[in-house]
PDB file of all heavy atoms in Angstrom:
ATOM      1  N   ALA A  69      81.352 101.321 117.452  1.00 93.00           N
ATOM      2  CA  ALA A  69      80.486 101.998 118.415  1.00 93.00           C
ATOM      3  C   ALA A  69      79.728 103.167 117.781  1.00 93.00           C
ATOM      4  O   ALA A  69      78.771 103.675 118.372  1.00 93.00           O
ATOM      5  CB  ALA A  69      81.302 102.498 119.605  1.00 93.00           C
ATOM      6  N   ASP A  70      80.120 103.574 116.578  1.00 94.00           N
ATOM      7  CA  ASP A  70      79.394 104.647 115.884  1.00 94.00           C
ATOM      8  C   ASP A  70      77.938 104.262 115.638  1.00 94.00           C
ATOM      9  O   ASP A  70      77.085 105.141 115.473  1.00 94.00           O
ATOM     10  CB  ASP A  70      80.068 104.993 114.558  1.00 94.00           C
ATOM     11  CG  ASP A  70      81.368 105.761 114.743  1.00 94.00           C
ATOM     12  OD1 ASP A  70      81.669 106.170 115.887  1.00 94.00           O
ATOM     13  OD2 ASP A  70      82.084 105.949 113.741  1.00 94.00           O
ATOM     14  N   LEU A  71      77.631 102.974 115.623  1.00 96.00           N
ATOM     15  CA  LEU A  71      76.241 102.548 115.444  1.00 96.00           C
ATOM     16  C   LEU A  71      75.357 103.102 116.559  1.00 96.00           C
ATOM     17  O   LEU A  71      74.231 103.553 116.292  1.00 96.00           O
ATOM     18  CB  LEU A  71      76.135 101.022 115.407  1.00 96.00           C
ATOM     19  CG  LEU A  71      76.699 100.311 114.191  1.00 96.00           C
ATOM     20  CD1 LEU A  71      76.601  98.802 114.373  1.00 96.00           C
ATOM     21  CD2 LEU A  71      75.989 100.744 112.927  1.00 96.00           C
ATOM     22  N   GLU A  72      75.847 103.083 117.782  1.00 96.00           N
ATOM     23  CA  GLU A  72      75.067 103.605 118.907  1.00 96.00           C
ATOM     24  C   GLU A  72      74.823 105.101 118.750  1.00 96.00           C
ATOM     25  O   GLU A  72      73.746 105.605 119.035  1.00 96.00           O
ATOM     26  CB  GLU A  72      75.771 103.322 120.246  1.00 96.00           C
ATOM     27  CG  GLU A  72      75.683 101.872 120.692  1.00 96.00           C
ATOM     28  CD  GLU A  72      76.647 100.948 119.983  1.00 96.00           C
ATOM     29  OE1 GLU A  72      77.737 101.403 119.560  1.00 96.00           O
ATOM     30  OE2 GLU A  72      76.312  99.759 119.822  1.00 96.00           O
ATOM     31  N   ARG A  73      75.837 105.802 118.280  1.00 95.00           N
ATOM     32  CA  ARG A  73      75.692 107.257 118.053  1.00 95.00           C
ATOM     33  C   ARG A  73      74.668 107.525 116.961  1.00 95.00           C
ATOM     34  O   ARG A  73      73.875 108.455 117.060  1.00 95.00           O
ATOM     35  CB  ARG A  73      77.060 107.843 117.680  1.00 95.00           C
ATOM     36  CG  ARG A  73      77.058 109.330 117.554  1.00 95.00           C
ATOM     37  CD  ARG A  73      77.059 109.999 118.928  1.00 95.00           C
ATOM     38  NE  ARG A  73      77.182 111.431 118.726  1.00 95.00           N
ATOM     39  CZ  ARG A  73      76.316 112.307 119.194  1.00 95.00           C
ATOM     40  NH1 ARG A  73      75.301 111.915 119.917  1.00 95.00           N
ATOM     41  NH2 ARG A  73      76.478 113.587 118.973  1.00 95.00           N
ATOM     42  N   MET A  74      74.660 106.704 115.922  1.00 96.00           N
ATOM     43  CA  MET A  74      73.672 106.867 114.861  1.00 96.00           C
ATOM     44  C   MET A  74      72.256 106.657 115.397  1.00 96.00           C
ATOM     45  O   MET A  74      71.326 107.378 115.018  1.00 96.00           O
ATOM     46  CB  MET A  74      73.964 105.902 113.715  1.00 96.00           C
ATOM     47  CG  MET A  74      75.241 106.230 112.959  1.00 96.00           C
ATOM     48  SD  MET A  74      75.672 104.982 111.746  1.00 96.00           S
ATOM     49  CE  MET A  74      74.431 105.311 110.492  1.00 96.00           C
ATOM     50  N   LEU A  75      72.091 105.674 116.280  1.00 96.00           N
ATOM     51  CA  LEU A  75      70.779 105.442 116.890  1.00 96.00           C
ATOM     52  C   LEU A  75      70.298 106.678 117.653  1.00 96.00           C
ATOM     53  O   LEU A  75      69.102 106.990 117.654  1.00 96.00           O
ATOM     54  CB  LEU A  75      70.835 104.241 117.840  1.00 96.00           C
ATOM     55  CG  LEU A  75      70.824 102.867 117.187  1.00 96.00           C
ATOM     56  CD1 LEU A  75      71.183 101.789 118.204  1.00 96.00           C
ATOM     57  CD2 LEU A  75      69.480 102.575 116.549  1.00 96.00           C
ATOM     58  N   GLU A  76      71.227 107.378 118.289  1.00 96.00           N
ATOM     59  CA  GLU A  76      70.879 108.590 119.031  1.00 96.00           C
ATOM     60  C   GLU A  76      70.522 109.750 118.104  1.00 96.00           C
ATOM     61  O   GLU A  76      69.640 110.546 118.417  1.00 96.00           O
ATOM     62  CB  GLU A  76      72.054 109.040 119.897  1.00 96.00           C
ATOM     63  CG  GLU A  76      72.424 108.095 121.006  1.00 96.00           C
ATOM     64  CD  GLU A  76      73.750 108.466 121.666  1.00 96.00           C
ATOM     65  OE1 GLU A  76      74.328 109.528 121.324  1.00 96.00           O
ATOM     66  OE2 GLU A  76      74.227 107.687 122.502  1.00 96.00           O
ATOM     67  N   LEU A  77      71.199 109.849 116.976  1.00 96.00           N
ATOM     68  CA  LEU A  77      71.080 111.026 116.121  1.00 96.00           C
ATOM     69  C   LEU A  77      70.011 110.942 115.040  1.00 96.00           C
ATOM     70  O   LEU A  77      69.442 111.962 114.651  1.00 96.00           O
ATOM     71  CB  LEU A  77      72.433 111.315 115.451  1.00 96.00           C
ATOM     72  CG  LEU A  77      73.559 111.722 116.387  1.00 96.00           C
ATOM     73  CD1 LEU A  77      74.885 111.750 115.645  1.00 96.00           C
ATOM     74  CD2 LEU A  77      73.265 113.087 117.005  1.00 96.00           C
ATOM     75  N   ILE A  78      69.756 109.766 114.537  1.00 97.00           N
ATOM     76  CA  ILE A  78      68.800 109.628 113.431  1.00 97.00           C
ATOM     77  C   ILE A  78      67.402 109.490 114.028  1.00 97.00           C
ATOM     78  O   ILE A  78      67.111 108.538 114.749  1.00 97.00           O
ATOM     79  CB  ILE A  78      69.170 108.437 112.530  1.00 97.00           C
ATOM     80  CG1 ILE A  78      70.529 108.708 111.874  1.00 97.00           C
ATOM     81  CG2 ILE A  78      68.095 108.188 111.487  1.00 97.00           C
ATOM     82  CD1 ILE A  78      71.094 107.563 111.065  1.00 97.00           C
ATOM     83  N   PRO A  79      66.510 110.444 113.713  1.00 95.00           N
ATOM     84  CA  PRO A  79      65.207 110.464 114.365  1.00 95.00           C
ATOM     85  C   PRO A  79      64.214 109.413 113.856  1.00 95.00           C
ATOM     86  O   PRO A  79      63.297 109.044 114.567  1.00 95.00           O
ATOM     87  CB  PRO A  79      64.683 111.875 114.072  1.00 95.00           C
ATOM     88  CG  PRO A  79      65.353 112.258 112.800  1.00 95.00           C
ATOM     89  CD  PRO A  79      66.698 111.585 112.823  1.00 95.00           C
ATOM     90  N   GLY A  80      64.409 108.944 112.661  1.00 89.00           N
ATOM     91  CA  GLY A  80      63.434 108.026 112.072  1.00 89.00           C
ATOM     92  C   GLY A  80      63.750 106.566 112.294  1.00 89.00           C
ATOM     93  O   GLY A  80      64.418 106.173 113.255  1.00 89.00           O
ATOM     94  N   ASP A  81      63.280 105.779 111.367  1.00 93.00           N
ATOM     95  CA  ASP A  81      63.430 104.327 111.407  1.00 93.00           C
ATOM     96  C   ASP A  81      64.871 103.953 111.089  1.00 93.00           C
ATOM     97  O   ASP A  81      65.355 104.204 109.979  1.00 93.00           O
ATOM     98  CB  ASP A  81      62.467 103.714 110.384  1.00 93.00           C
ATOM     99  CG  ASP A  81      62.530 102.212 110.324  1.00 93.00           C
ATOM    100  OD1 ASP A  81      63.006 101.593 111.291  1.00 93.00           O
ATOM    101  OD2 ASP A  81      62.108 101.660 109.296  1.00 93.00           O
ATOM    102  N   ILE A  82      65.569 103.361 112.057  1.00 95.00           N
ATOM    103  CA  ILE A  82      66.949 102.930 111.842  1.00 95.00           C
ATOM    104  C   ILE A  82      67.135 101.546 112.441  1.00 95.00           C
ATOM    105  O   ILE A  82      66.689 101.269 113.545  1.00 95.00           O
ATOM    106  CB  ILE A  82      67.995 103.921 112.412  1.00 95.00           C
ATOM    107  CG1 ILE A  82      69.419 103.359 112.220  1.00 95.00           C
ATOM    108  CG2 ILE A  82      67.708 104.288 113.831  1.00 95.00           C
ATOM    109  CD1 ILE A  82      70.533 104.346 112.494  1.00 95.00           C
ATOM    110  N   GLU A  83      67.795 100.706 111.672  1.00 96.00           N
ATOM    111  CA  GLU A  83      68.122  99.351 112.113  1.00 96.00           C
ATOM    112  C   GLU A  83      69.636  99.217 112.027  1.00 96.00           C
ATOM    113  O   GLU A  83      70.233  99.552 111.000  1.00 96.00           O
ATOM    114  CB  GLU A  83      67.443  98.340 111.185  1.00 96.00           C
ATOM    115  CG  GLU A  83      67.667  96.898 111.552  1.00 96.00           C
ATOM    116  CD  GLU A  83      66.909  95.955 110.627  1.00 96.00           C
ATOM    117  OE1 GLU A  83      65.784  96.265 110.193  1.00 96.00           O
ATOM    118  OE2 GLU A  83      67.482  94.883 110.336  1.00 96.00           O
ATOM    119  N   THR A  84      70.258  98.742 113.111  1.00 97.00           N
ATOM    120  CA  THR A  84      71.711  98.607 113.124  1.00 97.00           C
ATOM    121  C   THR A  84      72.119  97.180 113.436  1.00 97.00           C
ATOM    122  O   THR A  84      71.410  96.458 114.131  1.00 97.00           O
ATOM    123  CB  THR A  84      72.354  99.543 114.172  1.00 97.00           C
ATOM    124  OG1 THR A  84      71.921  99.155 115.474  1.00 97.00           O
ATOM    125  CG2 THR A  84      72.009 101.000 113.916  1.00 97.00           C
ATOM    126  N   HIS A  85      73.275  96.803 112.898  1.00 97.00           N
ATOM    127  CA  HIS A  85      73.836  95.475 113.142  1.00 97.00           C
ATOM    128  C   HIS A  85      75.353  95.573 113.200  1.00 97.00           C
ATOM    129  O   HIS A  85      75.966  96.241 112.376  1.00 97.00           O
ATOM    130  CB  HIS A  85      73.461  94.498 112.015  1.00 97.00           C
ATOM    131  CG  HIS A  85      72.002  94.290 111.885  1.00 97.00           C
ATOM    132  ND1 HIS A  85      71.313  93.355 112.615  1.00 97.00           N
ATOM    133  CD2 HIS A  85      71.084  94.925 111.110  1.00 97.00           C
ATOM    134  CE1 HIS A  85      70.036  93.403 112.285  1.00 97.00           C
ATOM    135  NE2 HIS A  85      69.869  94.351 111.387  1.00 97.00           N
TER     136      HIS A  85
END
Side-chain angles (χ1 to χ4, degrees):
D70 287 351
L71 290 176
E72 286 78 29
R73 185 77 175 124
M74 292 173 73
L75 283 168
E76 294 169 6
L77 294 171
I78 296 174
D81 180 20
I82 177 169
E83 182 177 324
T84 64
H85 298 274

